[in-house]
Amino acid sequence: MTKNKKLLIWGVPTVLILATALFLILEGGVVAGGRSYVVKRGKLDASIESVGEVKGEKATEINIPLIIRDRELRIWQIKIVDMVEEGKIVKKGDYVAQLDQTEISNHLRDRMQEKEKRDADLKNARIDSTVRLTQLRQEIANSVLDLEYNKIDLEQSQYESEAYQRKAQMAYQKAEIQVEKRRRDYLLEQNRWKMRVQRHVNQLDWLDGLIARYEEAMEATRIMTPEDGIVMFGTNWNGSKYSKDDEISIWRPLIATLPDMSSVISETYVKEIDISKISKGDSVNITIDALPNKSYAGEVAYIAAIGEDHPGFEMKVFKVIVRFQDRDDDLKPGMTCTNSIVFEHYLDQPLIPLEAVHSDSLQSIVYLKSGGNVTKQPVRLGAENKGMTVVLDGLKEGDRILMNPPEDML
């Protein structure tokens, strides 16, 4: 009797365990981590993640000085020979960077040598004009004397023959014409030399102004801050931050910025295949790599209309600006952040794990278990997020699906 009781005591739990195991085997389990999953309704936010950089929405720009960008100076790019550390807090008038003076100095030396030559040319032109015009005035004086001689001869010819009178008249007219010609030649030569001298004067004036601008550019190579702020350096053509010995082009003159962190943004780039999904005003969840215990709410404030090539991407990307809705003193310019841009909200929709979705003849299917039968069930899916996806058509709440296809249906 005692033996039978022991068998009964140990046998009942064993039977219950075996029955439960058999039920689970037949039904396939009820948790997502097992062999099956029961479809539930829930909420899912469809989002796109992109890495961005924290910036002030407004910033004071520190550019290559305008005098250095003067086209006549022919300084197309200039090297940074020294700079402060990025992130340094500065006051108005503080030192930021030193630009290389070598090319400016070389141009200045060349222009000064050219000015010496032009000075010599001007002096020679003035001397030559003086000599030449003096010579012409002497020729005019001689022509006037010749005219006077011919006039006297003409007056005396009245006592001579008619032929001689005619000859004297012609000689006088010829001398008169010669005087007028000499005077015209003098005026033409005077104007010619005047223009030649003026060209030298104009060239010297231009060189004087150019030399003064080169000297001003030399002084402008020491870059100072126009306002108080935190120094954030600009980026090169390849997207890297400027550093010592980098070249800055006058076509891309931004050296650094002093961001105003009273209004904070995240500047990010979204791939062209995803850009059509998002819209201005979409909500964004922002996390900061340097502040792992914090998250911030934001919204899409700007979407670029034209795609561009950007380092780190194999396709065109579009610039997107996300504006933080909250202000936090812990936010610093240049921090790396992750933007989760929510482009669609699904409420009370059937949700299933992505792991349970398979493909068959270019359509998505799941393996639907009903009693002891398993069938391929086509499904139309919506957005996905964090390993789950929305089922728009093909399943309802309470349906049981297998996480993996049965061996006999592979």
Side-chain angles (χ1 to χ4, degrees), residues 43 53 81 118 153 159 163 180 214 228 256 267 274 296 302 304 319 333 339 349 366 373 390 393:
K43 171 186 174 182
E53 180 181 343
V81 295
R118 294 289 181 180
D153 193 31
Y159 303 108
E180 292 300 321
Y214 275 120
D228 298 351
E267 182 180 292
D274 293 327
Y296 301 87
Y302 167 81
K319 183 177 180 179
N339 304 283
Q349 290 286 333
V366 296
N373 298 322
V390 173
D393 188 31

Side-chain angles (χ1 to χ4, degrees), residues 344 346 349-352 357-358 362-366 377-383 389-395:
E344 196 164 0
Y346 291 93
Q349 290 286 333
L351 303 178
I352 62 172
V357 180
H358 306 277
L362 302 179
Q363 66 178 346
S364 297
I365 64 166
V366 296
Q377 175 63 39
V379 290
R380 185 165 62 90
L381 304 177
T389 183
V390 173
V391 180
L392 300 177
D393 188 31
L395 292 175

Side-chain angles (χ1 to χ4, degrees), residues 117-133 136 185 187-205:
K117 180 180 179 301
R118 294 289 181 180
D119 271 328
D121 290 343
L122 175 60
K123 291 177 183 178
N124 291 334
R126 283 173 171 163
I127 292 171
D128 291 343
S129 68
T130 300
V131 170
R132 178 58 178 158
L133 294 178
L136 291 177
D185 290 346
L187 290 175
L188 289 172
E189 195 70 9
Q190 185 183 47
N191 288 333
R192 185 179 297 116
W193 280 102
K194 186 176 181 180
M195 291 174 62
R196 187 176 300 178
V197 169
Q198 189 61 47
R199 279 198 297 270
H200 288 297
V201 171
N202 292 342
Q203 188 69 25
L204 280 170
D205 289 343

Side-chain angles (χ1 to χ4, degrees), residues 304-320:
I306 301 175
E308 59 182 279
D309 294 317
H310 196 75
F313 293 90
E314 297 179 354
M315 62 181 70
K316 293 280 187 180
V317 292
F318 288 76
K319 183 177 180 179
V320 175

Side-chain angles (χ1 to χ4, degrees), residues 136-181:
L136 291 177
R137 284 193 294 270
Q138 185 61 47
E139 290 177 359
I140 291 173
N142 292 336
S143 296
V144 170
L145 286 176
D146 289 341
L147 180 62
E148 289 295 325
Y149 292 147
N150 283 282
K151 182 178 180 181
I152 294 171
D153 193 31
L154 178 60
E155 290 174 350
Q156 295 297 321
S157 67
Q158 61 180 326
Y159 303 108
E160 302 295 337
S161 64
E162 185 176 341
Y164 187 83
Q165 290 179 15
R166 180 63 179 163
K167 182 179 178 181
Q169 179 69 30
M170 293 175 63
Y172 178 78
Q173 289 177 346
K174 183 178 180 181
E176 192 175 38
I177 292 171
Q178 187 67 21
V179 169
E180 292 300 321
K181 180 179 181 302

Side-chain angles (χ1 to χ4, degrees), residues 391-407:
V391 180
L392 300 177
D393 188 31
L395 292 175
K396 63 182 183 301
E397 184 179 12
D399 285 344
R400 186 181 299 277
I401 59 174
L402 299 183
M403 300 298 289
N404 299 300
E407 292 184 2

